[in-house]
Structures are given as structure tokens and as C-alpha cells.
Coordinates of all heavy atoms in Angstrom, one line a residue:
M1 N 124.4 103.0 114.0 CA 124.4 101.6 113.9 C 123.8 101.1 112.8 O 122.6 101.4 112.5 CB 123.9 101.1 115.3 CG 123.9 99.7 115.3 SD 123.1 99.2 117.0 CE 123.6 97.5 116.9
A2 N 124.3 100.2 112.0 CA 123.7 99.5 110.9 C 123.3 98.1 111.3 O 124.0 97.5 111.9 CB 124.8 99.6 109.7
I3 N 122.3 97.8 110.5 CA 121.7 96.4 110.7 C 121.9 95.8 109.3 O 121.3 96.3 108.3 CB 120.3 96.3 111.2 CG1 120.2 97.0 112.6 CG2 119.8 94.9 111.1 CD1 118.8 97.1 113.1
I4 N 122.5 94.6 109.2 CA 122.6 94.0 107.8 C 121.6 92.7 107.8 O 121.5 92.0 108.8 CB 124.1 93.4 107.6 CG1 125.0 94.7 107.6 CG2 124.1 92.6 106.3 CD1 126.4 94.3 107.3
H5 N 120.8 92.8 106.8 CA 119.8 91.6 106.6 C 120.3 90.8 105.4 O 120.5 91.4 104.3 CB 118.4 92.2 106.4 CG 117.5 91.2 106.1 ND1 117.0 90.2 107.0 CD2 116.7 90.9 104.9 CE1 116.1 89.5 106.4 NE2 115.9 89.8 105.1
E6 N 120.3 89.5 105.7 CA 120.5 88.5 104.4 C 119.3 87.9 104.2 O 118.9 86.9 105.0 CB 121.7 87.7 104.8 CG 122.1 86.7 103.7 CD 123.2 85.8 104.1 OE1 123.8 85.8 105.2 OE2 123.5 84.9 103.3
P7 N 118.6 88.1 103.1 CA 117.3 87.4 102.9 C 117.6 85.9 102.7 O 118.6 85.5 102.2 CB 116.9 88.0 101.5 CG 117.7 89.2 101.2 CD 118.9 89.1 102.0
R8 N 116.6 85.2 102.9 CA 116.8 83.7 102.8 C 116.8 83.2 101.4 O 117.4 82.3 101.0 CB 115.4 82.9 103.5 CG 115.5 83.0 104.9 CD 114.3 82.3 105.4 NE 114.2 82.6 107.0 CZ 114.0 81.7 107.9 NH1 113.8 80.3 107.5 NH2 114.0 82.0 109.1
E9 N 116.2 84.0 100.5 CA 116.3 83.8 99.1 C 116.7 85.1 98.3 O 116.4 86.2 98.8 CB 114.9 83.4 98.4 CG 114.5 82.0 99.1 CD 113.2 81.5 98.2 OE1 112.9 81.9 97.1 OE2 112.5 80.7 98.9
L10 N 117.4 84.9 97.3 CA 117.9 86.1 96.6 C 116.7 86.9 96.0 O 115.6 86.3 95.6 CB 118.8 85.7 95.4 CG 120.1 85.1 95.8 CD1 120.9 84.7 94.6 CD2 120.9 86.0 96.7
I11 N 116.8 88.2 96.1 CA 115.6 89.0 95.6 C 116.0 89.6 94.2 O 117.0 90.3 94.0 CB 115.4 90.2 96.5 CG1 115.0 89.6 97.9 CG2 114.3 91.2 96.0 CD1 115.0 90.7 99.0
A12 N 115.3 89.3 93.2 CA 115.5 89.7 91.8 C 115.4 91.4 91.8 O 114.3 91.8 92.2 CB 114.6 89.1 90.8
V13 N 116.3 92.1 91.2 CA 116.2 93.6 91.2 C 116.8 94.1 90.0 O 117.5 93.4 89.2 CB 116.9 94.1 92.5 CG1 116.3 93.8 93.7 CG2 118.4 93.8 92.4
H14 N 116.3 95.3 89.6 CA 116.7 96.0 88.4 C 117.6 97.2 89.1 O 117.2 97.9 90.1 CB 115.6 96.7 87.5 CG 114.9 95.6 86.9 ND1 115.5 95.0 85.7 CD2 113.7 95.1 87.0 CE1 114.6 94.1 85.2 NE2 113.6 94.1 86.0
T15 N 118.8 97.5 88.6 CA 119.7 98.5 89.0 C 120.1 99.4 87.9 O 119.8 99.0 86.7 CB 121.0 97.8 89.7 OG1 121.8 97.4 88.5 CG2 120.6 96.7 90.6
P16 N 120.8 100.5 88.2 CA 121.2 101.3 87.0 C 122.2 100.6 86.2 O 122.5 101.0 85.0 CB 122.0 102.4 87.7 CG 121.3 102.5 89.0 CD 121.0 101.1 89.4
L17 N 122.9 99.5 86.7 CA 123.9 98.8 85.9 C 123.3 97.5 85.2 O 124.1 96.6 84.7 CB 125.1 98.4 86.7 CG 125.9 99.6 87.3 CD1 126.9 99.1 88.2 CD2 126.3 100.5 86.2
G18 N 122.0 97.3 85.4 CA 121.4 96.0 84.8 C 120.7 95.2 85.9 O 120.6 95.5 87.2
F19 N 120.3 93.9 85.4 CA 119.6 93.1 86.3 C 120.5 92.3 87.3 O 121.7 92.1 86.9 CB 118.8 92.0 85.5 CG 118.1 91.1 86.2 CD1 116.8 91.4 86.8 CD2 118.6 89.8 86.4 CE1 116.1 90.4 87.5 CE2 117.9 88.8 87.1 CZ 116.7 89.0 87.6
G20 N 120.0 92.0 88.5 CA 120.9 91.2 89.4 C 119.9 90.6 90.6 O 118.7 90.7 90.5
H21 N 120.7 90.1 91.5 CA 119.9 89.6 92.7 C 120.6 90.2 94.0 O 121.8 90.2 94.1 CB 120.1 88.1 92.7 CG 119.3 87.4 91.7 ND1 119.8 87.1 90.5 CD2 118.0 86.9 91.8 CE1 118.9 86.5 89.7 NE2 117.8 86.4 90.5
A22 N 119.7 90.7 94.9 CA 120.1 91.3 96.1 C 120.7 90.2 97.1 O 119.9 89.2 97.3 CB 119.0 92.1 96.8
M23 N 121.8 90.4 97.6 CA 122.4 89.5 98.6 C 122.2 90.0 100.0 O 121.9 89.2 101.0 CB 123.9 89.2 98.3 CG 124.1 88.5 97.1 SD 126.0 88.2 96.8 CE 126.7 88.4 98.4
F24 N 122.4 91.3 100.2 CA 122.4 91.9 101.6 C 121.7 93.2 101.5 O 121.8 93.9 100.4 CB 123.8 92.2 102.2 CG 124.6 91.0 102.3 CD1 125.6 90.8 101.2 CD2 124.5 90.0 103.2 CE1 126.5 89.7 101.4 CE2 125.3 88.9 103.4 CZ 126.3 88.7 102.4
I25 N 121.0 93.5 102.5 CA 120.3 94.8 102.6 C 120.9 95.4 103.9 O 120.8 94.8 105.1 CB 118.9 94.7 102.7 CG1 118.3 94.0 101.5 CG2 118.2 96.1 102.8 CD1 116.8 93.6 101.6
E26 N 121.5 96.6 103.9 CA 122.0 97.2 105.1 C 121.2 98.5 105.4 O 121.1 99.3 104.7 CB 123.6 97.7 104.8 CG 124.3 98.3 106.0 CD 125.6 98.8 105.7 OE1 126.2 98.3 104.7 OE2 126.1 99.4 106.5
F27 N 120.6 98.4 106.6 CA 119.8 99.5 107.1 C 120.6 100.3 107.9 O 120.9 99.9 109.1 CB 118.6 98.9 108.0 CG 117.8 97.9 107.1 CD1 117.9 96.6 107.2 CD2 116.7 98.4 106.3 CE1 117.1 95.7 106.4 CE2 115.9 97.5 105.6 CZ 116.2 96.3 105.5
G28 N 120.9 101.5 107.4 CA 121.8 102.5 108.2 C 120.9 103.5 109.0 O 119.6 103.4 108.8
E29 N 121.5 104.4 109.8 CA 120.8 105.4 110.4 C 120.1 106.3 109.5 O 119.0 106.8 109.8 CB 121.6 106.1 111.4 CG 121.0 107.1 112.4 CD 121.9 107.7 113.4 OE1 123.1 107.1 113.5 OE2 121.5 108.6 114.0
Y30 N 120.8 106.7 108.4 CA 120.2 107.7 107.6 C 119.9 107.1 106.1 O 119.3 107.8 105.3 CB 121.1 108.9 107.4 CG 121.4 109.5 108.7 CD1 122.7 109.3 109.3 CD2 120.4 110.3 109.2 CE1 122.8 110.0 110.5 CE2 120.6 110.9 110.6 CZ 121.9 110.7 111.1 OH 122.0 111.3 112.4
D31 N 120.3 106.0 105.7 CA 120.1 105.4 104.5 C 120.0 103.9 104.5 O 120.5 103.3 105.5 CB 121.0 105.9 103.5 CG 122.5 105.5 103.8 OD1 122.8 105.0 104.9 OD2 123.5 105.8 102.9
T32 N 119.6 103.3 103.4 CA 119.5 101.8 103.2 C 120.2 101.5 101.9 O 120.0 102.1 100.9 CB 118.1 101.3 103.1 OG1 117.5 101.6 104.3 CG2 118.1 99.9 102.9
C33 N 121.2 100.5 102.0 CA 122.0 100.2 100.9 C 121.8 98.6 100.5 O 121.6 97.9 101.4 CB 123.5 100.3 101.1 SG 124.0 102.0 101.3
W34 N 121.7 98.3 99.2 CA 121.6 97.1 98.9 C 122.7 96.5 98.1 O 123.4 97.2 97.2 CB 120.4 96.9 97.8 CG 119.1 97.2 98.4 CD1 118.7 98.3 99.0 CD2 117.9 96.4 98.3 NE1 117.4 98.4 99.3 CE2 116.9 97.1 99.0 CE3 117.7 95.1 97.7 CZ2 115.7 96.6 99.1 CZ3 116.4 94.5 98.0 CH2 115.4 95.2 98.6
T35 N 123.3 95.3 98.5 CA 124.4 94.8 97.8 C 123.9 93.7 96.8 O 123.1 92.8 97.3 CB 125.3 94.1 98.9 OG1 125.9 95.1 99.7 CG2 126.6 93.4 98.2
V36 N 124.2 93.9 95.6 CA 123.6 93.1 94.5 C 124.7 92.4 93.6 O 125.7 92.9 93.3 CB 122.9 94.1 93.6 CG1 122.3 93.3 92.4 CG2 121.8 94.8 94.3
V37 N 124.5 91.0 93.3 CA 125.2 90.5 92.3 C 124.6 90.6 90.9 O 123.4 90.2 90.8 CB 125.3 88.9 92.7 CG1 126.1 88.2 91.6 CG2 125.9 88.7 94.1
L38 N 125.3 91.3 90.1 CA 124.7 91.6 88.7 C 124.9 90.3 87.9 O 125.6 89.4 88.1 CB 125.5 92.8 88.1 CG 125.3 94.1 88.9 CD1 126.3 95.2 88.3 CD2 123.9 94.5 88.9
E39 N 124.2 90.3 86.6 CA 124.3 89.3 85.8 C 125.8 89.0 85.2 O 126.1 88.0 84.9 CB 123.4 89.4 84.5 CG 121.9 89.3 84.8 CD 121.2 89.4 83.6 OE1 121.3 90.4 82.9 OE2 120.2 88.5 83.3
T40 N 126.5 90.2 85.3 CA 128.0 90.1 85.0 C 128.8 89.5 85.9 O 130.1 89.6 85.8 CB 128.4 91.5 84.5 OG1 128.2 92.4 85.6 CG2 127.6 92.1 83.5
Q41 N 128.2 89.1 87.1 CA 128.8 88.5 88.2 C 129.7 89.6 89.0 O 130.4 89.2 90.0 CB 129.8 87.5 87.8 CG 129.1 86.4 87.1 CD 130.0 85.1 86.7 OE1 131.2 85.3 86.7 NE2 129.4 84.0 86.3
A42 N 129.4 90.9 88.7 CA 130.0 91.9 89.6 C 129.1 92.1 90.8 O 127.9 91.9 90.7 CB 130.1 93.3 88.8
V43 N 129.8 92.4 91.9 CA 129.0 92.7 93.2 C 129.2 94.1 93.6 O 130.3 94.7 93.6 CB 129.7 91.8 94.3 CG1 129.1 92.2 95.7 CG2 129.6 90.3 94.1
V44 N 128.0 94.8 93.5 CA 127.9 96.3 93.6 C 127.0 96.6 94.7 O 125.9 96.0 95.0 CB 127.5 96.9 92.3 CG1 127.5 98.3 92.4 CG2 128.4 96.5 91.2
T45 N 127.2 97.7 95.5 CA 126.3 98.1 96.5 C 125.6 99.4 96.0 O 126.4 100.4 95.5 CB 127.0 98.4 97.8 OG1 127.6 97.3 98.3 CG2 126.0 99.0 98.9
F46 N 124.3 99.5 96.1 CA 123.5 100.6 95.6 C 122.7 101.2 96.7 O 122.1 100.5 97.5 CB 122.5 100.2 94.5 CG 123.2 99.6 93.2 CD1 123.3 98.3 93.1 CD2 123.6 100.6 92.2 CE1 123.9 97.8 92.0 CE2 124.1 100.0 91.2 CZ 124.3 98.6 90.9
P47 N 122.5 102.6 96.6 CA 121.5 103.1 97.7 C 120.0 102.7 97.3 O 119.8 102.4 96.2 CB 121.7 104.6 97.4 CG 122.3 104.8 96.1 CD 123.0 103.6 95.8
Q48 N 119.2 102.8 98.3 CA 117.9 102.2 98.2 C 117.1 102.9 96.9 O 116.4 102.1 96.2 CB 117.1 102.7 99.4 CG 115.5 102.4 99.3 CD 115.2 101.1 99.8 OE1 116.0 100.4 100.4 NE2 114.0 100.6 99.4
E49 N 117.2 104.2 96.7 CA 116.6 104.8 95.6 C 117.0 104.3 94.2 O 116.2 104.6 93.3 CB 116.6 106.3 95.7 CG 118.0 107.0 95.6 CD 118.8 107.0 97.0 OE1 118.2 106.5 98.0 OE2 119.8 107.5 97.0
K50 N 118.1 103.6 94.1 CA 118.5 103.1 92.8 C 118.0 101.7 92.4 O 118.3 101.2 91.4 CB 120.1 103.1 92.6 CG 120.6 104.5 92.9 CD 120.4 105.4 91.7 CE 121.2 106.8 92.0 NZ 120.9 107.6 90.8
I51 N 117.3 101.1 93.4 CA 117.0 99.7 93.3 C 115.5 99.6 93.0 O 114.6 100.3 93.6 CB 117.3 98.9 94.6 CG1 118.7 98.9 94.9 CG2 116.7 97.4 94.6 CD1 119.5 98.1 94.0
R52 N 115.1 98.8 92.1 CA 113.7 98.4 91.8 C 113.6 96.9 91.8 O 114.2 96.2 91.1 CB 113.2 99.0 90.4 CG 113.3 100.4 90.3 CD 112.2 101.0 91.2 NE 112.2 102.5 91.3 CZ 112.8 103.2 92.4 NH1 113.3 102.5 93.4 NH2 112.9 104.4 92.4
I53 N 112.7 96.4 92.6 CA 112.4 94.9 92.7 C 111.7 94.5 91.5 O 110.8 95.1 90.9 CB 111.6 94.6 94.0 CG1 112.3 95.1 95.2 CG2 111.2 93.1 93.9 CD1 112.1 94.4 96.4
S54 N 112.3 93.3 91.0 CA 111.6 92.8 89.7 C 110.4 92.0 90.0 O 110.3 91.5 91.1 CB 112.7 91.9 89.0 OG 113.8 92.6 88.7
R55 N 109.6 91.9 89.0 CA 108.4 91.0 89.1 C 108.9 89.7 88.9 O 109.7 89.2 88.0 CB 107.5 91.4 87.9 CG 106.3 90.5 87.8 CD 105.5 90.9 86.5 NE 106.3 90.5 85.4 CZ 105.8 90.3 84.2 NH1 104.6 90.6 84.0 NH2 106.6 90.0 83.2
S56 N 108.6 88.8 89.9 CA 109.1 87.4 89.9 C 107.9 86.4 89.8 O 108.0 85.3 89.1 CB 109.9 87.0 91.1 OG 109.2 86.7 92.1
Y57 N 106.8 86.6 90.3 CA 105.7 85.7 90.4 C 106.2 84.3 90.7 O 106.0 83.4 89.9 CB 105.0 85.7 89.0 CG 104.3 86.9 88.6 CD1 103.8 87.2 87.3 CD2 103.9 87.9 89.6 CE1 103.2 88.3 86.9 CE2 103.3 89.1 89.3 CZ 102.9 89.3 87.9 OH 102.4 90.5 87.6
T58 N 106.7 84.2 91.9 CA 107.3 83.0 92.4 C 108.4 82.3 91.5 O 108.4 81.2 91.2 CB 106.2 81.9 92.7 OG1 105.6 81.5 91.5 CG2 105.2 82.4 93.7
H59 N 109.3 83.2 91.1 CA 110.5 82.8 90.4 C 110.2 82.0 89.1 O 110.8 80.9 88.9 CB 111.5 82.1 91.3 CG 111.9 82.8 92.4 ND1 112.9 83.8 92.3 CD2 111.7 82.8 93.7 CE1 113.1 84.3 93.5 NE2 112.3 83.7 94.3
G60 N 109.4 82.6 88.3 CA 109.2 82.0 86.9 C 108.5 80.7 86.8 O 108.8 79.9 86.1
R61 N 107.4 80.6 87.7 CA 106.7 79.2 87.6 C 105.6 79.3 86.5 O 104.6 78.5 86.7 CB 106.2 78.9 88.9 CG 107.4 78.5 89.9 CD 106.8 78.0 91.2 NE 108.0 77.5 92.1 CZ 108.3 77.9 93.2 NH1 107.4 78.8 93.8 NH2 109.3 77.5 94.0
G62 N 105.7 80.1 85.6 CA 104.7 80.1 84.5 C 103.5 80.8 84.8 O 102.5 80.5 84.2
I63 N 103.4 81.7 85.8 CA 102.2 82.4 86.0 C 102.1 83.7 85.2 O 103.0 84.6 85.3 CB 102.1 82.8 87.5 CG1 102.0 81.5 88.3 CG2 100.8 83.6 87.9 CD1 102.1 81.7 89.9
S64 N 101.0 84.0 84.4 CA 100.9 85.1 83.6 C 100.4 86.3 84.4 O 99.9 86.1 85.5 CB 99.9 84.8 82.4 OG 98.5 84.8 83.0
D65 N 100.5 87.4 83.9 CA 100.0 88.6 84.6 C 98.5 88.6 84.9 O 98.0 88.9 86.0 CB 100.1 89.9 83.7 CG 101.6 90.3 83.5 OD1 102.4 90.0 84.5 OD2 101.8 91.1 82.7
D66 N 97.6 88.1 84.0 CA 96.2 87.8 84.3 C 96.0 86.9 85.4 O 95.1 87.1 86.3 CB 95.5 87.4 83.1 CG 95.4 88.6 82.0 OD1 95.5 89.8 82.4 OD2 95.4 88.2 80.8
Q67 N 96.8 85.8 85.3 CA 96.6 84.7 86.5 C 96.9 85.3 87.8 O 96.3 85.1 88.8 CB 97.5 83.6 86.1 CG 96.9 82.7 85.0 CD 97.9 81.6 84.6 OE1 99.2 81.8 84.6 NE2 97.4 80.4 84.4
M68 N 98.1 86.1 87.8 CA 98.5 86.7 89.1 C 97.5 87.7 89.6 O 97.2 87.8 90.8 CB 99.8 87.4 88.9 CG 100.4 88.0 90.2 SD 100.3 86.7 91.6 CE 101.9 86.0 91.5
K69 N 96.9 88.5 88.7 CA 95.8 89.5 89.2 C 94.6 88.8 89.8 O 94.0 89.2 90.7 CB 95.3 90.2 87.9 CG 96.3 91.4 87.5 CD 95.8 92.0 86.2 CE 96.9 93.0 85.7 NZ 96.5 93.6 84.5
Q70 N 94.2 87.5 89.2 CA 93.2 86.7 89.9 C 93.7 86.2 91.2 O 92.8 86.1 92.1 CB 92.7 85.6 89.0 CG 92.0 86.0 87.7 CD 90.8 86.8 88.0 OE1 90.0 86.4 88.9 NE2 90.5 87.9 87.4
I71 N 94.9 85.7 91.3 CA 95.3 85.2 92.6 C 95.3 86.2 93.7 O 94.9 86.1 94.8 CB 96.8 84.6 92.5 CG1 96.8 83.5 91.5 CG2 97.4 84.4 93.8 CD1 98.1 82.8 91.1
I72 N 95.8 87.5 93.4 CA 95.9 88.5 94.4 C 94.7 89.4 94.7 O 94.7 90.3 95.5 CB 97.2 89.4 94.2 CG1 97.0 90.2 92.9 CG2 98.5 88.6 94.3 CD1 98.1 91.1 92.7
K73 N 93.7 89.2 93.8 CA 92.4 90.0 93.8 C 91.9 89.8 95.2 O 91.6 88.7 95.6 CB 91.4 89.5 92.8 CG 90.2 90.5 92.6 CD 89.5 90.2 91.4 CE 88.5 89.1 91.5 NZ 87.7 88.9 90.3
P74 N 91.5 90.9 95.9 CA 91.0 91.0 97.1 C 89.5 90.3 97.1 O 88.7 90.5 96.2 CB 90.8 92.3 97.6 CG 91.0 93.2 96.5 CD 91.6 92.3 95.5
K75 N 89.2 89.5 98.1 CA 87.9 88.8 98.3 C 86.9 89.9 98.8 O 87.1 90.6 99.7 CB 88.0 87.6 99.3 CG 89.0 86.7 98.9 CD 88.6 85.7 97.9 CE 89.6 84.5 97.7 NZ 90.6 84.7 96.7
A76 N 85.8 89.9 98.0 CA 84.7 90.7 98.5 C 84.1 90.3 99.9 O 83.8 89.0 100.0 CB 83.6 90.8 97.4
S77 N 83.9 91.1 100.8 CA 83.3 90.7 102.1 C 82.0 91.6 102.4 O 82.1 92.7 102.2 CB 84.3 90.9 103.2 OG 83.7 90.7 104.4
T78 N 81.0 90.9 102.7 CA 79.8 91.6 103.1 C 79.7 91.8 104.6 O 78.8 92.4 105.0 CB 78.5 90.8 102.6 OG1 78.7 89.5 103.3 CG2 78.6 90.6 101.1
R79 N 80.6 91.2 105.3 CA 80.5 91.3 106.8 C 81.2 92.6 107.2 O 82.3 93.0 106.8 CB 81.2 90.1 107.4 CG 81.0 89.9 108.9 CD 81.7 88.7 109.3 NE 82.2 89.0 110.6 CZ 83.4 88.7 111.1 NH1 84.1 88.0 110.3 NH2 83.8 89.1 112.2
T80 N 80.6 93.3 108.3 CA 81.2 94.6 108.8 C 82.3 94.0 109.7 O 82.1 93.1 110.5 CB 80.1 95.3 109.6 OG1 79.1 95.6 108.6 CG2 80.7 96.6 110.1
P81 N 83.5 94.7 109.7 CA 84.6 94.3 110.6 C 84.0 94.5 112.0 O 83.2 95.4 112.4 CB 85.7 95.3 110.2 CG 85.4 95.7 108.9 CD 83.8 95.7 108.7
R82 N 84.6 93.7 112.9 CA 84.0 93.6 114.3 C 84.3 95.1 114.9 O 83.4 95.7 115.6 CB 84.9 92.6 115.2 CG 84.6 91.3 114.7 CD 85.3 90.3 115.5 NE 84.4 89.6 116.3 CZ 84.8 88.8 117.4 NH1 86.0 88.8 117.7 NH2 83.9 88.3 118.0
S83 N 85.4 95.8 114.8 CA 85.7 97.0 115.3 C 84.7 98.0 114.8 O 84.2 99.0 115.5 CB 87.1 97.4 115.0 OG 87.3 97.6 113.8
M84 N 84.3 98.0 113.5 CA 83.4 98.9 112.9 C 82.0 98.6 113.5 O 81.3 99.5 113.8 CB 83.3 98.7 111.3 CG 82.4 99.6 110.7 SD 82.6 101.4 110.9 CE 83.8 101.7 109.6
G85 N 81.6 97.2 113.7 CA 80.3 96.9 114.2 C 80.2 97.6 115.7 O 79.1 98.1 116.0
R86 N 81.2 97.5 116.4 CA 81.2 98.1 117.8 C 81.0 99.5 117.8 O 80.3 100.2 118.5 CB 82.5 97.7 118.5 CG 82.5 96.3 119.2 CD 83.6 96.1 120.1 NE 84.9 96.3 119.5 CZ 85.6 95.1 119.1 NH1 85.2 94.0 119.4 NH2 86.8 95.4 118.5
M87 N 81.8 100.1 116.8 CA 81.7 101.6 116.7 C 80.2 101.9 116.3 O 79.6 102.9 116.8 CB 82.7 102.1 115.7 CG 82.8 103.6 115.7 SD 83.9 104.2 114.5 CE 83.0 104.1 113.0
L88 N 79.6 101.3 115.4 CA 78.2 101.6 114.9 C 77.3 101.4 116.1 O 76.3 102.2 116.2 CB 77.9 100.8 113.7 CG 78.7 101.1 112.4 CD1 78.3 100.0 111.4 CD2 78.3 102.5 112.0
R89 N 77.4 100.4 116.9 CA 76.5 100.2 118.1 C 76.6 101.2 119.1 O 75.6 101.7 119.6 CB 76.8 98.8 118.7 CG 76.2 97.6 117.9 CD 76.3 96.4 118.7 NE 77.6 96.0 119.2 CZ 78.5 95.3 118.4 NH1 78.0 94.8 117.3 NH2 79.6 94.9 118.9
K90 N 77.8 101.9 119.3 CA 77.9 102.9 120.2 C 77.3 104.2 119.9 O 76.9 105.0 120.6 CB 79.5 103.1 120.5 CG 80.1 102.0 121.3 CD 81.4 102.3 121.5 CE 82.2 101.0 122.2 NZ 83.6 101.3 122.5
T91 N 77.3 104.5 118.5 CA 76.8 105.7 118.0 C 75.2 105.7 117.8 O 74.6 106.8 117.7 CB 77.4 106.1 116.7 OG1 77.2 105.1 115.7 CG2 78.9 106.3 116.9
V92 N 74.6 104.7 117.8 CA 73.2 104.6 117.7 C 72.4 104.8 118.9 O 72.7 104.6 120.1 CB 72.8 103.2 117.1 CG1 71.3 103.0 116.9 CG2 73.5 102.9 115.8

């Protein structure tokens, strides 16, 4: 049984035939296929291993690589997670 997913927004991807946008993703029992509209306006279906998602940074809103690294940089936390704190109390 296959499940077909249609993303709310097109996903920019690189394929063996060039750049395009994924329209549908079909999740099969043994494989996953992506249906892509290429820049040439051809509609082609590729297996999962042939697709690479493009870097979009919110669809070209002018964010540089350095700015994106700052945006997604994890925040340093000095607090011990609650589950870790409970575990430490039990072992002492």
C-alpha cells in the first residue's frame, strides 16, 4: 500500500536531470519516489536516493550562510534536563 503526500509548498530539489520542485512524495512499502517538476517543465518521478533537497533559507529571502548559521546555532544551556536531574538524584 502506498501513501502519497502532497507538500503544502513545493520543495526545491536537485535531481540527476537538473533543478526542480517536488510536487508529490509517494511512500511505498519498499521504496519512496518523488515526483518533480524540472526547470524544463518536464514532470519526472525519481527514487529517493536520486533526490537532494536544495538549500532554500526560506525561499531566497536574502539570508546568507553566516546569518543562517547564527539563526540555527543551538543555545547553550546550563540547566540539567529534568530527566537527567532525577537520574542523578537516584544514584546519589
Side-chain angles (χ1 to χ4, degrees):
M1 177 181 195
I3 297 173
I4 296 177
H5 173 69
E6 182 180 359
R8 290 180 188 229
E9 294 188 26
L10 297 177
I11 300 170
V13 295
H14 289 286
T15 74
L17 299 178
F19 180 78
H21 289 89
M23 291 180 21
F24 302 106
I25 306 166
E26 182 178 347
F27 301 95
E29 188 173 346
Y30 300 105
D31 60 353
T32 299
C33 295
W34 292 59
T35 300
V36 176
V37 178
L38 299 173
E39 285 183 313
T40 61
Q41 299 176 352
V43 178
V44 184
T45 300
F46 296 96
Q48 172 88 18
E49 61 271 4
K50 301 287 184 183
I51 298 291
R52 295 291 172 258
I53 300 209
S54 296
R55 172 184 73 160
S56 83
Y57 297 161
T58 65
H59 298 289
R61 291 191 175 122
I63 299 174
S64 70
D65 288 346
D66 290 333
Q67 289 171 319
M68 185 51 92
K69 286 177 186 173
Q70 290 299 316
I71 291 169
I72 64 172
K73 186 165 91 174
K75 306 275 189 272
S77 175
T78 57
R79 192 174 143 226
T80 304
R82 296 178 111 194
S83 58
M84 180 61 84
R86 279 193 295 261
M87 186 177 80
L88 291 173
R89 283 194 297 273
K90 289 180 182 178
T91 60
V92 177

